[in-house]
């Protein structure tokens, strides 16, 4: 808790000793300032005829107010009297007032008279040299009376609260000021009248002052006996301002600047000496005022005094910055915050009684009832202060009205505490329908300086219920992708794999709901499904929650980026909306060839060539998912080079076959082309190309090519074949084959697919002809063309293994051309060559 405590020594509180001239009695009980003590009580006794000269009463001489400025303050409780002309003296030094003619200062007034209820300028019938003042009251034969200040200086000028302005039998505060002809009078801190009478610019009050004494007031004015009760009489030699009067009227003062007379009546009647004289004490000078005539002492309670003097401390709630304050019809205070904006407001406690202690307890913290949010701070009631003017969370000190004292600084205790809060969406709070109800506990504890006096009871300081309200925006919470991040959230999706997520929203204001929808632009992908909205109502400790689920299985054509925009709008406050943009990046297949030899290859008749292409998707992530949508298809194409140009040939070409694709270690696909060249393809130059596409056919295909050729004069044994069988296929003999394959080893154990030389290659020289080569190597043109299909094809000569659509028979050899540096395969049978002195001749017959 925070407490504002008095900083000055406590003085004996006055409600105090009473003195009467007509009938005086001391009244003990609850004093006007809320403390047990005494007040001065007097009852008008018309049967008493003693005047001031024979009844000294309570008097003090040597009045120090010989100046042009003074202030008189007093608490009065007027009691009824029967006489319509009775006027009672409260305090003053005027000895006598004669009858006279009065003119109202302003407006009209019925029958204005000296010391009457109207503010007037009076010419007295008897002019004296007396110059003094007097505070008086009258009109108590009515339901309400009046009080006024009279200043005598040749003329009598009086300023009053007005006829019938002061209710009887209740405590009221009267204050009057004089400033060189400027008059002002207050009733309970409110100015009742004020004017300037310039000719009345000074007084010399050297007469003896008296309190509640009888005065000779002239014909028709009664005996000047005050009827009622008095307390806290103060005379200042300065003009006090309205703020000072308001603050000071409700509490005892101390010995401060310019306070020259002060009667607290807190000591009661005291025996001065053995003669039995009674006295009361003037607090500032310590002067004793003797009461020479005293009836029987009486004691009775003073009713309702605290209602008027010890007023309760006040509490004010005001905004400092960042929030707004409104008051409801029921008197509650609503302080409205904005999200993310720091707001500060304060509770200021002011107690016009400077000797009281005021407390403002620490409020609880939510989720405790009537607490403040956990992330709010409630400043302590103490802080650094400047000089004697305390600002911020601390006390405001006593100001005695000196010229150095700011006019807005009042006497009393003051403290304030500041609550600062920055509402954030991520804080753990739920706003009730009307806001967080905060009930602050505060109290004032009166104190006394005299142990024999009983302090007033502790009282609660009334602070209205305060509601802290903030209009929260809807907010995305887990498992919403990206949570409250406002940037688009990217989800990676894959073809054929389901994408699932939920949009979950909470609203911290109880009684408010939201709608979650997908925006028409860009809409949602085809085949996507959004579930119906599910809702969970708010409780005092948990916010309202709404959720919708999204599900989508992308197909091949939906590869790429899809956008879904979710809009969230408050049903009760449509201006409150948020959005969440989801980017679903469906990975587009991108095939790559990860392993394929592109080196040129030389094939041989009968030897199988296996072309393997290992492909995979270009994304490392897809390679780990075993997703068949990211597999590959292969498209092989075969080309034949002829005279520098490329010609496509079908994959149905003899010996060519496509192998079955298989899954590989890269979680991709391996494609195969098999080619076992046959007779008639020798000497051919080819290019084999492969195009790898994803199975969805949405990515960019990958391509590779490899050059291939089929060697002449070489062949491979097939399974179950032998050198003898191969020799027959090439019209030669076993011995010739064995001769052409040095290092062949055991001819009966030749491995399948091992290249076998079936002849030898001859490099054509300029001037060579095929006919000459046949004669040279003991063969003929037909045999040469059978093992040199490229030459037969080029010359369009039909053979057993190559027959073009317009090929001529082998007998027409006039157009068969060979070229220098061209390799010609020569196959002959050495065992059939017969030689004599004329040369060698093959006995083989061409079939």
């Amino acid at each position: 808790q925070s407490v504002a405590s008095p900083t000055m020594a406590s003085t004996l509180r006055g409600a105090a000793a009473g003195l009467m001239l007509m009938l005086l009695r001391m009244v003990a009980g609850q004093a006007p300032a809320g403390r047990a003590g005494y007040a001065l009580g007097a009852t008008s006794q018309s049967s008493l005829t003693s005047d001031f000269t024979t009844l000294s009463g309570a008097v003090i001489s040597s009045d120090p107010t010989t100046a042009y400025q003074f202030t008189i303050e007093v608490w009065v409780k007027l009691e009824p009297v029967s006489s319509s002309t009775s006027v009672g003296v409260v305090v003053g030094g005027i000895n006598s007032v004669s009858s006279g003619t009065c003119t109202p200062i302003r407006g009209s007034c019925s029958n204005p008279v000296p010391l009457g209820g109207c503010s007037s300028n009076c010419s007295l019938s008897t002019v004296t040299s007396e110059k003094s003042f007097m505070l008086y009251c009258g009109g108590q034969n009515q339901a309400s009376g009046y009080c006024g200040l009279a200043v005598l200086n040749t003329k009598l000028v009086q300023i009053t609260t007005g006829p019938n302005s002061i209710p009887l039998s209740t405590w009221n505060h009267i204050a009057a000021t004089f400033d060189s002809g400027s008059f002002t009078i207050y009733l309970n801190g409110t100015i009742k009248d004020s004017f300037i009478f310039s000719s009345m610019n000074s007084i010399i009050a050297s007469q003896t002052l008296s309190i509640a004494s009888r005065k000779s007031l002239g014909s028709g004015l009664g005996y000047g006996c005050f009827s009622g009760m008095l307390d806290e009489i103060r005379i200042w030699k300065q003009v006090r301002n309205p703020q000072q009067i308001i603050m000071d009227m409700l509490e005892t003062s101390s010995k401060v600047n310019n306070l020259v007379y002060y009667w607290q009546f807190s000591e009661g009647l005291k025996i001065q000496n053995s003669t039995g004289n009674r006295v009361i004490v003037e607090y500032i000078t310590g002067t004793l005022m003797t009461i020479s005539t005293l009836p029987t002492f009486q004691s009775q309670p003073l009713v309702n005094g605290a209602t008027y003097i010890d007023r309760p401390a006040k509490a004010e709630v005001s905004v400092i910055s960042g929030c707004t304050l409104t008051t409801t019809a029921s008197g509650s205070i609503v302080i409205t915050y904005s999200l993310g904006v720091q707001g500060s407001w304060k509770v200021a406690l002011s107690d016009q009684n400077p000797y009281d202690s005021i407390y403002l307890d620490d409020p609880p913290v939510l989720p405790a009832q009537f607490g403040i949010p956990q992330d709010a701070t409630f400043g302590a009631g103490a802080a650094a202060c400047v000089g004697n003017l305390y600002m911020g969370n601390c006390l405001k000190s006593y100001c005695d009205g000196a010229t150095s004292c700011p006019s807005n600084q009042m006497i009393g205790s003051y403290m304030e505490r500041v609550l600062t809060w920055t509402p954030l969406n991520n804080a753990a709070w739920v706003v009730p329908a009307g806001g967080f109800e905060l009930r602050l506990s505060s109290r004032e504890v009166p104190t006394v300086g005299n142990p024999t006096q009983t302090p007033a009871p502790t009282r609660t300081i009334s602070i209205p219920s305060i509601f802290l309200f903030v209009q929260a925006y809807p907010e995305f919470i887990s498992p919403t992708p990206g949570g409250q991040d406002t940037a688009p959230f990217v989800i990676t999706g894959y073809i054929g794999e389901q994408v699932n997520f939920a949009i979950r929203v909470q609203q911290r204001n109880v009684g408010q709901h939201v709608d979650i929808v997908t925006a028409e632009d860009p809409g949602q992908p085809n085949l996507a499904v959004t579930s119906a909205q599910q809702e969970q109502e708010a409780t005092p400790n948990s916010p309202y929650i709404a959720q919708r689920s999204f599900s989508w299985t992308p197909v091949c054509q939906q590869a790429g980026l899809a956008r879904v925009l979710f809009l969230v709008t408050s049903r009760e406050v449509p201006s409150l909306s948020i959005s969440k943009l989801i980017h679903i990046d469906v990975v587009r297949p991108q095939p790559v060839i990860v392993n394929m030899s592109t080196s040129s290859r030389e094939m041989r008749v009968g030897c199988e060539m296996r072309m393997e292409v290992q492909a995979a998707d270009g994304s490392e992530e897809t390679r780990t998912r075993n997703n068949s949508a990211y597999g590959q298809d292969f498209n092989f194409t075969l080309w034949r080079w002829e005279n520098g140009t490329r010609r496509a040939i079908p994959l149905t070409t003899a010996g060519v076959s496509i192998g079955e694709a298989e899954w590989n270690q890269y979680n991709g696909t391996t494609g195969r082309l098999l080619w076992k060249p046959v007779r008639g393809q020798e000497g051919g130059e080819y290019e084999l190309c492969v195009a790898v596409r994803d199975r969805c056919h949405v990515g960019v295909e990958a391509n590779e090519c490899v050059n291939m050729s089929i060697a002449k004069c070489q062949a491979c044994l097939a399974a179950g074949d032998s050198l003898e069988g191969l020799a027959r296929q090439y019209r030669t003999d076993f011995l010739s084959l064995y001769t052409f394959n040095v290092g062949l080893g055991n001819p009966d154990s030749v491995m399948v697919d091992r290249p076998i030389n079936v002849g030898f290659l001859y490099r054509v020289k300029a001037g060579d002809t095929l006919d000459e080569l046949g004669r040279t190597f003991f063969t003929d043109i037909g045999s040469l063309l059978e093992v040199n299909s490229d030459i037969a094809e080029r010359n369009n000569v039909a053979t057993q293994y190559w027959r073009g659509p317009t090929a001529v028979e082998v007998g027409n050899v006039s157009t068969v051309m060979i070229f220098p540096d061209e390799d010609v395969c020569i196959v002959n049978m050495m065992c059939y060559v017969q030689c004599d002195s004329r040369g060698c001749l093959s006995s083989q017959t061409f079939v």
Side-chain angles (χ1 to χ4, degrees), residues 502-516:
I503 300 295
R504 181 176 294 179
V505 178
Q506 74 176 10
Q507 174 57 266
R508 296 185 183 274
N509 291 89
V510 174
Q512 295 186 10
H513 309 77
V514 301
D515 291 314
I516 306 173

Side-chain angles (χ1 to χ4, degrees), residues 151-216:
V151 175
L152 181 62
N153 185 359
T154 306
K155 289 186 176 184
L156 180 73
V157 178
Q158 59 195 31
I159 184 170
T160 74
T161 60
N164 303 311
S165 58
I166 302 177
L168 304 184
S169 301
T170 60
W171 281 102
N172 292 274
H173 183 265
I174 308 298
T177 66
F178 175 82
D179 185 5
S180 301
S182 178
F183 293 76
T184 303
I185 193 165
Y186 298 80
L187 174 60
N188 294 323
T190 301
I191 296 177
K192 298 299 290 183
D193 200 359
S194 181
F195 59 81
I196 297 176
F197 199 87
S198 59
S199 62
M200 188 71 70
N201 58 8
S202 67
I203 60 172
I204 303 175
S206 59
Q207 291 81 4
T208 299
L209 295 179
S210 63
I211 298 173
S213 64
R214 176 190 180 280
K215 297 287 186 177
S216 176

Side-chain angles (χ1 to χ4, degrees), residues 19-25 41-52 54-55 57 86-87 212-217 222-226 291-296:
L19 170 64
M20 59 171 287
L21 292 182
M22 303 304 292
L23 174 63
L24 296 179
R25 66 179 183 275
T43 300
S44 176
Q45 296 290 317
S46 60
S47 61
L48 295 181
T49 59
S50 298
D51 59 19
F52 182 75
T54 58
L55 180 64
S86 176
V87 176
S213 64
R214 176 190 180 280
K215 297 287 186 177
S216 176
L217 301 178
Y223 291 99
C225 300
F226 178 82
I291 300 174
S292 59
T293 301
L294 182 68
T296 304

Side-chain angles (χ1 to χ4, degrees), residues 133-155:
F133 66 91
M134 180 173 66
L135 190 68
Y136 65 94
C137 296
Q140 293 158 249
N141 62 316
Q142 306 293 324
S144 300
Y146 63 86
C147 291
L149 171 66
V151 175
L152 181 62
N153 185 359
T154 306
K155 289 186 176 184

Side-chain angles (χ1 to χ4, degrees), residues 679-680 682 729-731 769-775 778-793 797-803 808-814 816 824-828 844-847:
R679 294 290 300 276
E682 301 93 327
Q729 294 176 28
Y730 282 88
R731 301 177 185 274
T769 64
L770 200 60
D771 182 53
E772 292 175 348
L773 291 179
R775 289 194 298 272
F778 307 105
T779 183
D780 55 38
I781 292 177
S783 297
L784 289 175
L785 291 175
E786 283 186 358
V787 295
N788 291 277
S789 295
D790 57 332
I791 297 175
E793 182 178 355
V797 177
T799 69
Q800 178 180 353
Y801 301 104
W802 185 87
R803 290 185 177 274
V808 298
E809 296 299 326
V810 71
N812 184 7
V813 295
S814 60
V816 174
V824 176
C825 178
I826 307 297
V827 178
N828 59 11
Q844 180 182 11
T845 302
F846 181 78
V847 178

